[in-house]
Every structure is written in structure tokens, then in C-alpha cells.
Amino acid sequence: MTRRNLLLALSLSLSLLSVLQVTRASAQEIAWEVGLSSSRTLIEAQGFEGGDQSATRILYLAGLNGADQSTEQAQLLAEQYGRLDTPERPVNLIVIPVANPDAEDLAFPPVGEAYSEYPVSNALWRWIGVHAPDLVVIGGMDRGGFKYAAENFPLAGIGTIPVQVLEEGLLTIEKLNAFRDIAKSPAHLVIERRVSRSPAELAHQLALDYGHAFSTPAYVPGMGLIGRMRLGFVGQVEALLTAYLDGSGIEIDNPSLMAGQLVFAEHAELTRDPRSIALVERAAALAFDEQGNLKEVMPFHSEMSDSVFMAPPLLAKAGRLTGNVQYFDMVEKHVNYMQELLLRDDGLYSHSPLADVAWSRGNAFPALGLALVLSDLPEEHPAYKRLMDFHISHLDVLLTYQNADGLWRQVIDFPGSYSELSSTAMIGIAIKRGLDRGWLAAEKYQPVVDSIWAAVLERTSVDNEFIDVCISTGKLSSLDAYLDRSAILGRDDRAGGMIMNLAIELAGSFNARQ
């Protein structure tokens, strides 16, 4: 087993995958990326698995005032604990030696927009909340009032955590032994409840809130409608489509509206309603010029990698519904065009020509888009093998960037960039589809799906709120603009629809009817 897989395995065990009854090999140590300071200095954490995976979790938080004596003490503790044999370790230990590397101002609970404002405060608050220790021990100064905030406000909306402050002295292994029997923190109990949900349970939970409106026939609300139809709520969704099905025109003038027509494609596949088929054909007809020839590329691509999802799946679905092979041909032309424009030498996509940045959703859109295309594109089509080979190679590249928590970063290849939830769910759908259809090797990709699912469960509340979903994003002109893009902590239609569909794929509801 590679070191990367060993690290992933420990991450999963510390994330309560035992509750999910997923059997993975375990490791003794893991390195995490917590976040970035204002100057883009990486904040790191080390994790050490205790002799019992269900043991108490202790997080030692040092260096809140910059690297100081507490940092040295934390590093010493990590070194000593790491030398112990796993059975001799009394607790699951996480150590953050330099929590605030630039000694910048902190505020807990955080204020401002994550992560462009108070990036350290936001990173610590959300990361520690998700990892849900039973006790946080602060070494040295409690800058920013972390103790009061953590004990009185739910971290990342999850739950409170007890805190002890050691202004002097060292957190020793003997003291860790004294903590081994403390009660689970409220945050820990919440995480346990979250990860106990089955895919079907989470899908139906999300369906209570998402997929109930389609006043704008775009893909963001549309993914929720697609999910609800897959769950069997076809009649309820059809009521939302009535105005469009009965002839209310949809003027497609942007990529989001183009992809929104996938709702009608799903409805057509389930019901064979000729009105939905007509709407799909109307949208797909944008592939042709006035002389009836295929255009060079689908309109409204905006030079963004998003368009590999926005147009090709709809074209492939139109080809499947109508038998018109020209729609399949346009899939190939469009994907080729976007790859020539944006595909980098390392196998990742730049989001647009404005900045050579591998944005998370800017790569998740092509991964999901081609998974959907290949589900409908006939194997005998000349483009099938090339698109399949590329799709698998892109997923192989993405695999190397999955972080220790099972997610992909907001900027995929920038260490410390925040873990972005919606892109992770989209990549998860693509991988699960590939596993179910035999495109991907289970021994390589099943552990990846397991880690994605654990991460999604932890970051999705029972009230259908999410942790760290990048807001809607167009073409940005710099790396800093992507790194600073706001990360939602709360409700979000995009994440709701994508995660619902991921849960449905995992539950087997969609694949069972294919």
C-alpha cells in the first residue's frame, strides 16, 4: 500500500468511518493542511492514531500568537507520541504546532468572509469543528478568545468543544492519559450522527429542501429536480415544469440555462413525454448554424472549462433520445475545442484563459460532464474510446490531488487552499458512475469514493447546510481571486443538488433503473 493510501486510511478512521462500517487499513500518522494565513503560509496539523480508534480525541493547539515556546512544546509532544507503538497511545492526538504563523489578528467566532477576511480564524474554526475533538488544549496564549468561543458557539455550525489553556508547562503523555476517559464533546456527537446516515437517508433528507423550485430553468436548481425525479418524485417535479412543457418559451442565452435543460432530458427519459423531448431537441439544435451544419463549438461556452458540463451531456442525451448521431458528433467537437483551449500539460484544466488556475469546480465540471456523456454515448461512436481514455486519465490526475480529508482544494494544486465540497461531490458522482459501469478499477477507486462519502457526510448537517462551498464563480483574473473566493457555511442549492445526486448514485437508485 502506498504512503498516500495509508494517510487516507488514517484520515478515515479519525473521521469515524468505523460508524460507516468501511474496512480500511490504518496508519499511525497523518499530515493535514488546515488552511492558509493572509500571506499564504501553510498551516499544518499532525495526527496520531491511538491504540483504540474510538479513543478520546485531543487536539493540541499551539502557536496562536505565532511560532513561540508552545510551538516547540507541541513539536516535542508530536515527536514523543509518534515514537510510541500504537497500542501504547492513550488517545487519538492531533497537533497544530503553529496555528497562526504570521501572528495576525484573530477573532472567534470568525467574522468577515471566509477566506479573504480573517483567513486563519476561519480556517481553524471550520477545520477544528469538522475534526470534532473531545478537548482542545491550547498551549501558550489564547489569542482571539478561542476558549470562550469554542465552549459557547458551535464550531462550523457543528457543536461546542471544551477547551483547556496551558499558558505555562507542557502537554505531556502523562496528561494525555488523564484525558483518556473524558466524555465525547457535543461536536463529536454531532459528527457521529452525521456519518451514521446511509446514502438513501441523506438523499431523501436533502430532497426535503432542494429541488422544489424552477422559476429559472438553470442547472443549479435543476440538479435538485433531477435528484428528486430519480428518487421517485416525478409527479411533484412535473408540476414545476408544467409552464415550460405547455409551451412557455425558454430563451437559452447562457451556459447555466443550457445545462438546466438536463431537467427536461431526465423527465423525457423517465416519462417519454414528447414535450420534454422537444425541449431537449430545441436546446441541442443550437449546435447547428443557419445552413444546418455543425458549428465549431457550442455557443455560450464563455471560454470556461465549466462548459464541458454545460453542453455535452445535454447533446449526448439528445442523441440518445432521438437517435440523431450529429448530436454525438457535436459532443466530440465541443470537448476537443475546450481541451485545446484550456487543458494543461499536467492534465488539469485551467478555468479560463484569463488565469492559469486549476479551480476545483473548473475541473469537477469536466469530470462530471464526461461521465454523463459516456453514459449515453454509443460505444461504437468514433469519439467514444478517446473520450473514455481522456476521462480516465483526468480522474487519475485528480486522484493525486485528493487531500487527507478526502476532498479537493478550491485551487486543486495549491496546498492549504480550502477543501471545496461541491466539486468533491461532483467528482464523486463521476467516480461512482465509473465504478458501477466498469470503467474504473475498484481496488484503486473504491477507497477514494469511501473517503469522499465520509467527507460529504461530515460537512452536511441534518438541517441541510454545508461547510465550504465556493460561491458562484465566473472568469477570474488571478490566483489570489480564486484563493479568496467566498466559501459558504450554510444552505446552498448547488451543493444540495450535487450531493443529493451523489447520494443517489451511492444508494444505487439511479443505476438500478438503467
Side-chain angles (χ1 to χ4, degrees):
M1 177 177 284
T2 66
R3 174 172 173 77
R4 180 182 176 279
N5 286 338
L6 285 169
L7 294 181
L8 273 173
L10 175 59
S11 172
L12 298 180
S13 67
L14 291 178
S15 299
L16 294 172
L17 269 190
S18 57
V19 179
L20 292 171
Q21 298 181 333
V22 176
T23 302
R24 300 284 303 280
S26 63
Q28 295 183 352
E29 182 178 346
I30 185 169
W32 282 290
E33 301 166 6
V34 176
L36 297 169
S37 72
S38 295
S39 66
R40 312 300 189 198
T41 301
L42 178 62
I43 304 167
E44 299 179 276
Q46 292 173 275
F48 303 90
E49 184 183 19
D52 180 354
Q53 291 184 4
S54 63
T56 299
R57 302 178 188 179
I58 305 296
L59 188 148
Y60 191 37
L61 185 62
L64 280 170
N65 197 39
D68 56 15
Q69 185 178 2
S70 70
T71 296
E72 297 177 7
Q73 294 172 344
Q75 291 169 336
L76 177 60
L77 175 63
E79 181 181 339
Q80 292 174 339
Y81 209 68
R83 287 201 299 262
L84 294 178
D85 290 335
T86 302
E88 298 175 1
R89 296 173 180 171
V91 300
N92 289 315
L93 177 65
I94 300 173
V95 177
I96 302 179
V98 191
N100 186 14
D102 299 337
E104 54 193 274
D105 289 340
L106 302 178
F108 301 107
V111 295
E113 288 191 8
Y115 289 86
S116 59
E117 301 176 271
Y118 288 91
V120 174
S121 301
N122 277 293
L124 291 172
W125 190 254
R126 297 186 185 190
W127 192 90
I128 293 172
V130 169
H131 286 263
D134 300 308
L135 175 69
V136 173
V137 178
I138 295 177
M141 180 186 298
D142 177 13
R143 185 165 184 168
F146 184 88
K147 173 179 170 62
Y148 176 81
E151 293 183 335
N152 291 277
F153 299 93
L155 284 82
I158 295 171
T160 58
I161 300 172
V163 179
Q164 290 192 18
V165 180
L166 294 178
E167 293 186 0
E168 298 180 0
L170 174 66
L171 178 60
T172 63
I173 295 173
E174 290 73 25
K175 290 179 180 177
L176 288 176
N177 267 299
F179 294 140
R180 67 189 309 163
D181 294 324
I182 65 174
K184 293 178 181 178
S185 68
H188 189 155
L189 294 172
V190 169
I191 291 293
E192 282 190 329
R193 168 66 185 94
R194 289 186 180 188
V195 302
S196 70
R197 293 170 293 183
S198 70
E201 183 179 355
L202 184 61
H204 282 276
Q205 175 196 303
L206 291 167
L208 294 174
D209 283 340
Y210 298 103
H212 291 264
F214 206 47
S215 57
T216 300
Y219 93 90
V220 170
M223 290 305 296
L225 271 70
I226 289 171
R228 293 187 70 232
M229 282 192 283
R230 289 174 173 173
L231 289 171
F233 302 108
V234 178
Q236 293 181 23
V237 171
E238 190 173 281
L240 300 172
L241 307 182
T242 299
Y244 306 111
L245 295 174
D246 288 345
S248 177
I250 302 173
E251 182 179 353
I252 299 172
D253 58 7
N254 65 65
S256 183
L257 290 176
M258 176 85 70
Q261 308 313 296
L262 285 170
V263 173
F264 302 105
E266 184 69 20
H267 183 256
E269 190 161 33
L270 288 168
T271 66
R272 298 295 160 177
D273 189 320
R275 298 172 299 172
S276 284
I277 295 174
L279 288 173
V280 171
E281 284 193 280
R282 182 172 180 269
L286 292 170
F288 299 98
D289 62 23
E290 293 180 357
Q291 288 72 43
N293 300 313
L294 288 177
K295 297 176 181 176
E296 180 184 15
V297 64
M298 286 293 285
F300 317 122
H301 58 77
S302 303
E303 295 188 318
M304 294 194 297
S305 58
D306 311 32
S307 74
V308 181
F309 166 81
M310 301 297 175
L314 180 70
L315 291 166
K317 192 67 74 176
R320 176 171 170 169
L321 289 168
T322 66
N324 186 342
V325 297
Q326 286 187 292
Y327 294 131
F328 299 134
D329 296 340
M330 190 62 191
V331 168
E332 181 179 20
K333 293 191 69 173
H334 184 87
V335 173
N336 287 347
Y337 182 96
M338 299 313 301
Q339 289 181 346
E340 289 176 9
L341 183 66
L342 298 172
L343 191 62
R344 307 188 329 185
D345 291 340
D346 62 1
L348 296 174
Y349 284 85
S350 295
H351 185 215
S352 85
L354 287 184
D356 184 17
V357 176
W359 179 48
S360 57
R361 280 205 301 268
N363 279 268
F365 276 125
L368 177 56
L370 283 185
L372 298 178
V373 163
L374 291 163
S375 298
D376 288 325
L377 187 67
E379 291 187 26
E380 62 271 17
H381 191 276
Y384 182 88
K385 185 179 185 305
R386 192 192 77 80
L387 291 180
M388 179 64 77
D389 289 346
F390 172 77
H391 178 57
I392 294 173
S393 70
H394 184 223
L395 292 178
D396 283 345
V397 171
L398 287 173
L399 189 62
T400 66
Y401 290 100
Q402 189 185 28
N403 69 21
D405 280 326
L407 300 102
W408 279 265
R409 307 180 189 104
Q410 161 72 351
V411 177
I412 285 177
D413 56 350
F414 197 99
S417 178
Y418 67 83
S419 297
E420 206 284 324
L421 187 59
S422 65
S423 59
T424 297
M426 293 161 70
I427 295 169
I429 296 170
I431 293 174
K432 186 61 169 64
R433 184 67 65 92
L435 285 169
D436 288 344
R437 293 173 182 256
W439 306 336
L440 303 175
E443 63 273 15
K444 181 177 183 178
Y445 275 97
Q446 187 59 52
V448 178
V449 171
D450 294 340
S451 59
I452 289 170
W453 181 236
V456 166
L457 286 172
E458 290 171 339
R459 289 160 180 80
T460 303
S461 78
V462 296
D463 297 319
N464 294 329
E465 296 185 343
F466 309 101
I467 298 173
D468 285 348
V469 179
C470 179
I471 62 173
S472 193
T473 299
K475 295 161 86 169
L476 302 179
S477 59
S478 70
L479 171 63
D480 284 339
Y482 285 95
L483 291 172
D484 289 339
R485 197 69 175 162
S486 295
I488 295 167
L489 177 60
R491 299 176 62 81
D492 181 71
D493 285 341
R494 178 186 291 101
M498 290 299 183
I499 292 173
M500 189 194 309
N501 279 280
L502 171 62
I504 291 166
E505 294 281 339
L506 289 166
S509 302
F510 171 64
N511 297 301
R513 72 168 177 80
Q514 289 295 304

